[in-house]
Amino acid sequence: MTENLRKLSDEGVSIWLDDISRERLRTGNLEQLVKERHVVGVTSNPTIFAKALSKGSAYDDQVRDLAVRGVDVEEAVRAITTYDIRWGCDVLRPVHDRTEGLDGRVSIEVDPRLARDRERTVAEARALWWMVDRPNLFIKIPATVEGLPAISQALSEGISVNVTLIFSLERYGQVIDAFFEGLERARENGRDLSKISSVASFFVSRVDTEIDKRLDKVGSEEAAGLRSKAGVANARLAYALYEERTASDRWKALKDAGARPQRPLWASTGVKDPDLPDTLYVDQLIAPGTVNTMPEATLEATADHGEVPGDTVRASYDQARAHMNALKQVGVDYDDVVRVLEDEGVQKFETSWNELLDTVAGELRDKGGAKGSGA
C-alpha cells in the first residue's frame, strides 16, 4: 500500500499529514506514518487541536497541572498546543536532518483572531517561535493584506513561515513578494538564508465548493460541465506563477545568497463532494518541489488507489486558463469568490479557536481552578 506514496514522493511531492494530536504522538502513530507512509511533515490548525482535545484523556494530566497552577485559558492553550508541536518536531527531526532542512517540518498557527493585525501577529509569531524552540518549526500566518508585512518581518528575523489561507493568484503573487522582501531584509541583517524556510499554502477543495455552488445557481448545461474543476485549475496556475517568479533575477540573487524557494503547498486536499474521486486533489496536482498536506483519510486513500502517472500540472496551464475563462463567461466572479473564501477562512479558524478556548476553559474548571475564560 505504500507504492503509490513512494511514487508520489519520487515525483518531488513532499507528503505531509494535516493532523496532530497527543494521542497520535503518545502511541507512536506519527512515527509509524513517517516510517511506513512516507510522511515528511505535519500541519495543524485550531480545528485540529479543538478536535484532538475533545477526544479521550491524553491531555488530562497536563490540563490538571495547568488548573492547579491557576493559569488562564489563553496561557493553557499555548502550553497545550506548543507541547504537541514541540513533540512533533522531535519526531520529525530525523527527516529534517536527512533532507537538510527541506522537510521534517511541523506547523503551528498564530491566534487567528490576529489575522487583520500586523503587529500582534508578528509578536505572536515571535512568542511561538521562542516557546517551541525547534529549528524545524513553521509559524503559520494567514495571507491577509495585513498578514503580508507580518510575513516579511518574521522571515527577516529568521522565523520560518507557512503562509496559509491563500486562495487567489493575485494574493499568491503578493505572498511571493512578501517572501522575497523578508529574505532580502534577512540578508541585509547578516542572517544565513539557508536556515530560513517557507511554504505557501494554496487552498484547493474550498475553491470548488464555492464555485460549484455558484455554477449550480447558474443552472445551465454549460455551467454544469464546469463543476469541480476550478480548484485544480486555480492551483495549477499558482504553480505556473511559482515557476515564473523563481525564474526572476530577484529570486536568482536570493538563491545565490543561499536561499531556498518558498514551495507551493496544496492545502484543503480532502475532497468535500462525495461524488468526486477521493484522491482528486492529490492525483491532479503532482509537480516537483511541491507539498501536499493530507488528512489521514486522503493519505490512506492515496496509498490504496491513488494514481501517480507523473507530473500532472505543467502540461495543463493552457487548459487551466481556458477553464477559468469559461467560468467568467458563465458569470462566476473569481475576485468575489476568493474574497468570500478568505473572509470565511479567517472566520472559520476564529470560530475553531474560540471553541478551543471554551473546551480548555471547561477542562480547567472541571480540574479545579481556571482564573478566567480569556476569550
Side-chain angles (χ1 to χ4, degrees):
M1 282 184 62
T2 61
E3 179 65 14
N4 290 335
L5 298 174
R6 182 193 63 77
K7 289 168 63 178
L8 190 64
S9 180
D10 287 347
E11 289 294 334
V13 179
S14 291
I15 300 166
W16 290 9
L17 178 70
D18 191 27
D19 190 59
I20 195 168
S21 69
R22 189 74 52 87
E23 188 68 18
R24 192 184 289 283
L25 292 161
R26 189 171 66 178
T27 60
N29 174 261
L30 178 58
E31 189 173 5
Q32 182 180 11
L33 291 174
V34 171
K35 291 178 179 178
E36 299 180 2
R37 290 290 187 266
H38 297 269
V39 169
V40 292
V42 171
T43 49
S44 69
N45 59 48
T47 305
I48 286 170
F49 279 119
K51 180 180 177 183
L53 273 153
S54 67
K55 293 183 176 180
S57 60
Y59 296 91
D60 285 359
D61 289 344
Q62 187 182 16
V63 172
R64 188 175 296 107
D65 285 347
L66 292 166
V68 169
R69 289 173 53 209
V71 304
D72 68 28
V73 67
E74 301 241 359
E75 182 183 347
V77 166
R78 285 185 179 85
I80 291 166
T81 56
T82 56
Y83 188 102
D84 281 3
I85 296 299
R86 191 179 304 110
W87 192 344
C89 283
D90 290 343
V91 172
L92 270 296
R93 183 62 184 269
V95 175
H96 178 265
D97 293 344
R98 186 179 73 243
T99 62
E100 298 182 334
L102 180 68
D103 282 309
R105 299 278 176 171
V106 183
S107 299
I108 186 170
E109 186 161 352
V110 297
D111 181 339
R113 297 172 301 177
L114 310 179
R116 309 290 184 189
D117 189 324
R118 179 187 64 82
E119 289 188 9
R120 292 180 67 193
T121 292
V122 173
E124 181 86 353
R126 290 177 184 136
L128 291 171
W129 187 254
W130 174 82
M131 290 178 75
V132 175
D133 192 27
R134 296 293 187 272
N136 51 330
L137 176 68
F138 267 139
I139 303 297
K140 292 177 76 174
I141 299 177
T144 58
V145 170
E146 298 84 356
L148 296 171
I151 292 159
S152 296
Q153 182 62 35
L155 289 165
S156 76
E157 296 179 15
I159 298 172
S160 293
V161 177
N162 176 343
V163 184
T164 189
L165 284 179
I166 308 172
F167 297 97
S168 78
L169 296 170
E170 180 182 11
R171 182 57 51 79
Y172 180 39
Q174 294 168 346
V175 166
I176 295 172
D177 283 336
F179 169 66
F180 286 173
E181 181 183 338
L183 290 189
E184 287 162 350
R185 287 162 56 188
R187 181 182 58 193
E188 292 169 4
N189 294 337
R191 295 188 180 275
D192 182 351
L193 299 191
S194 69
K195 303 297 184 184
I196 307 171
S197 189
S198 184
V199 292
S201 295
F202 208 86
F203 280 52
V204 185
S205 67
R206 294 189 195 181
V207 174
D208 275 338
T209 299
E210 180 64 25
I211 288 182
D212 286 358
K213 182 169 62 177
R214 298 182 185 215
L215 289 171
D216 291 344
K217 286 184 179 178
V218 173
S220 67
E221 184 175 342
E222 182 182 4
L226 297 174
R227 291 185 88 259
S228 306
K229 299 173 184 175
V232 167
N234 197 41
R236 285 172 171 171
L237 293 179
Y239 192 81
L241 181 57
Y242 162 75
E243 287 198 309
E244 176 187 325
R245 299 298 294 277
T246 51
S248 68
D249 290 340
R250 188 180 184 188
W251 169 247
K252 185 177 184 300
L254 289 167
K255 183 180 179 182
D256 289 346
R260 300 171 180 268
Q262 181 188 57
R263 291 184 294 170
L265 179 151
W266 312 130
S268 185
T269 57
V271 174
K272 306 291 193 293
D273 185 342
D275 293 331
L276 297 175
D278 55 2
T279 62
L280 175 68
Y281 302 124
V282 178
D283 301 346
Q284 296 299 307
L285 292 174
I286 301 170
T290 58
V291 178
N292 196 309
T293 183
M294 312 177 198
E296 188 170 15
T298 304
L299 176 72
E300 293 301 329
T302 301
D304 181 60
H305 54 266
E307 297 180 7
V308 188
D311 188 329
T312 55
V313 172
R314 289 184 289 185
S316 303
Y317 294 157
D318 289 343
Q319 180 184 356
R321 293 187 184 99
H323 182 80
M324 301 309 283
N325 186 59
L327 289 172
K328 183 178 180 180
Q329 295 303 313
V330 299
V332 174
D333 185 340
Y334 175 82
D335 291 337
D336 185 65
V337 166
V338 295
R339 179 190 61 77
V340 167
L341 287 171
E342 180 180 301
D343 289 345
E344 286 183 352
V346 171
Q347 184 57 53
K348 285 177 180 178
F349 278 173
E350 284 184 8
T351 299
S352 293
W353 188 262
N354 288 326
E355 289 174 358
L356 178 58
L357 290 170
D358 289 344
T359 299
V360 172
E363 290 290 314
L364 289 169
R365 283 192 299 269
D366 289 345
K367 290 172 176 58
K371 289 183 176 178
S373 71

